[in-house]
Amino acid sequence: MFSIKYEEAVHKLNSLQSNKATIAQIRKDIKTGQKCTNLKDMENYLMRTGISLNTLDKLSVVHVAGTKGKGSTSAMCESILRAHGFRTGFYSSPHLVAVRERIRLFGIPLSEEAFARHFHKVYDSLYKTQAYDGDMPKYFAFLTVMAFNVFLEEEVDVAVVEVGIGGIDDYTNILRKVPVIGITALGLDHTAILGTTLPEIALAKAGVMKPGCLAYTVHQETDAMDVLRRKAIEFQCPLTTVPNYSTYAFQNGLRLSIELEAYRMNASLSIQLAHAWMGIKTKDKNNIDNTIQNTDLLISSLSKETVIGLRDCKWPGRYQIIETNYGCVYLDGAHTKESMEICAKWFAENCRYIIFYECDKAVVLSI
């Protein structure tokens, strides 16, 4: 019975406007000078499911934008927070196998039963309140509405939310009160939407900054960092560049080595994001003044729980090694030139054969 309801949910979800069609529409709107209405639309969709912006403000969020590594960074951040005993929600995209992977509670993707239950509740609310035929969210927008409904209903302590595309006009940016945001490594992506230069990309990603939030990023190209710093000043939120992973001290003798430089960078960002949120949580709990001091912005020593969170983080398809009877299989993906170079280097150091896969085409190379 639940399997049928889940399959029905997936069928209805797939009937909504796809991400590909959505991106094509955005490009068309840009060319014709149409103003983006994503956030206005999102507020409407949330209201139709019973969530006002004031209600959404109650959700405590770590918001992660960027071009490269935002999924891995978000996954590690969630795992660290969970290892410290917090009830976590995690919203990410895209999914690898099943759409249920996009919405996780306490580190576990929603079950088919839970996904179907939450889906039909949200879908029915939206379907019954259409102002006109077809007045329904697009695929990603629907899942964003659904994720916020799930996290609020489950009363998670913190939700780690990964941006979809860009930042300033992304559906997830309907969030108004975000204590901590992170921006991963920047590069040229979705240039038809976000801009064709790195400063333009940085400006779009910086749109997730909120007044008074704590903002963290990794080392960026100078022109991109200049934009991030300027926007941080505008939003009056301190922007901190995270340290190299190699600089951390480990408590209790528990260490964790990470070989790939890109992954070390993401790990460092996830550490600072998680601890920044925990620091704010502790101050709120103890009614301590949340005025930011420079000494509050970075941690340099990793607790046992933090290391366990990093060690136990499972993020399938990203720097993943699967051992089989025939040898090891190395899995990773990339969508920018820089990411492809990092990916290719990792493969070249470890693999005899590389399989390139894009949509429905695969090419096998011997190295």
Side-chain angles (χ1 to χ4, degrees):
M1 181 64 177
F2 290 126
S3 178
I4 295 174
K5 287 186 176 181
Y6 174 69
E7 291 175 1
E8 180 186 352
V10 173
H11 176 74
K12 286 183 176 180
L13 177 63
N14 289 338
S15 71
L16 301 175
Q17 186 174 353
S18 69
N19 290 340
K20 182 178 180 180
T22 300
I23 292 173
Q25 183 62 50
I26 293 173
R27 289 172 176 169
K28 181 179 178 181
D29 290 344
I30 291 173
K31 288 181 179 179
T32 58
Q34 297 294 315
K35 185 177 180 180
C36 181
T37 62
N38 283 359
L39 300 186
K40 181 179 178 181
D41 293 341
M42 193 65 180
E43 181 178 1
N44 173 41
Y45 299 143
L46 286 168
M47 286 292 294
R48 285 160 56 186
T49 64
I51 297 178
S52 66
L53 292 186
N54 287 336
T55 299
L56 188 63
D57 288 343
K58 298 176 183 178
L59 187 64
S60 189
V61 172
V62 176
H63 204 186
V64 182
T67 305
K68 298 167 286 185
K70 65 181 188 289
S72 300
T73 299
S74 299
M76 286 187 280
C77 178
E78 183 277 331
S79 187
I80 292 170
L81 290 166
R82 184 160 35 87
H84 278 270
F86 293 101
R87 291 168 49 86
T88 60
F90 181 22
Y91 179 53
S92 65
S93 61
H95 57 273
L96 188 63
V97 177
V99 68
R100 300 182 293 108
E101 300 166 20
R102 296 187 182 218
I103 304 175
R104 301 177 185 235
L105 288 172
F106 326 125
I108 302 173
L110 292 182
S111 65
E112 291 188 0
E113 176 186 351
F115 186 94
R117 176 169 58 84
H118 287 291
F119 176 91
H120 289 295
K121 179 181 177 182
V122 172
Y123 187 92
D124 291 348
S125 295
L126 290 166
Y127 190 82
K128 292 175 182 177
T129 55
Q130 294 182 89
Y132 53 87
D133 187 35
D135 181 22
M136 293 289 286
K138 302 173 180 67
Y139 188 100
F140 181 78
F142 182 94
L143 288 173
T144 306
V145 172
M146 180 175 160
F148 291 157
N149 271 267
V150 171
F151 298 153
L152 286 167
E153 182 177 320
E154 295 292 336
E155 297 182 339
V156 299
D157 296 320
V158 56
V160 179
V161 176
E162 178 191 353
V163 168
I165 295 177
I168 190 168
D169 290 323
D170 187 69
Y171 286 111
T172 65
N173 208 32
I174 191 65
L175 296 160
R176 300 187 303 181
K177 293 188 176 181
V178 179
V180 181
I181 71 102
I183 298 177
T184 65
L186 298 177
L188 298 179
D189 68 331
H190 300 293
T191 52
I193 297 172
L194 306 179
T196 57
T197 68
L198 205 52
E200 288 176 312
I201 300 289
L203 186 62
K205 310 287 186 179
V208 298
M209 292 181 183
K210 302 294 186 297
C213 75
L214 295 182
Y216 291 84
T217 191
V218 299
H219 290 280
Q220 308 280 4
E221 295 291 336
T222 301
D223 51 355
M225 186 63 82
D226 288 344
V227 173
L228 297 183
R229 289 191 178 118
R230 187 175 75 247
K231 296 305 292 185
I233 292 172
E234 180 182 321
F235 283 106
Q236 296 184 325
C237 62
L239 174 66
T240 304
T241 302
V242 302
N244 292 328
Y245 184 78
S246 60
T247 65
Y248 289 106
F250 292 82
Q251 301 173 14
N252 304 316
L254 185 62
R255 301 185 64 84
L256 180 68
S257 62
I258 300 176
E259 295 182 3
L260 201 63
E261 173 56 33
Y263 213 65
R264 287 197 293 266
M265 179 172 60
N266 297 338
S268 183
L269 181 56
S270 71
I271 290 166
Q272 299 300 334
L273 293 176
H275 280 270
W277 183 87
M278 288 189 285
I280 293 172
K281 179 73 172 179
T282 299
K283 288 182 177 181
D284 287 343
K285 183 178 180 180
N286 296 324
N287 294 317
I288 299 174
D289 182 9
N290 261 329
T291 302
I292 304 300
Q293 304 294 330
N294 288 337
T295 54
D296 294 331
L297 299 181
L298 288 173
I299 67 148
S300 58
S301 181
L302 305 186
S303 67
K304 176 182 177 181
E305 291 80 8
T306 296
V307 176
I308 289 174
L310 288 172
R311 183 196 67 191
D312 293 349
C313 177
K314 300 294 187 294
W315 197 229
R318 284 78 163 185
Y319 303 128
Q320 183 182 10
I321 302 174
I322 300 176
E323 295 184 2
T324 73
N325 293 332
Y326 306 99
C328 291
V329 178
Y330 293 77
L331 300 177
D332 195 16
H335 75 292
T336 68
K337 176 178 178 291
E338 295 84 1
S339 295
M340 289 178 186
E341 290 172 349
I342 294 171
C343 188
K345 183 176 183 293
W346 185 57
F347 286 156
E349 291 172 349
N350 295 282
C351 304
R352 293 178 58 193
Y353 299 94
I354 299 179
I355 301 176
F356 290 95
Y357 181 81
E358 180 181 5
C359 297
D360 58 349
K361 299 178 181 178
V363 177
V364 180
L365 297 180
S366 176
I367 58 175

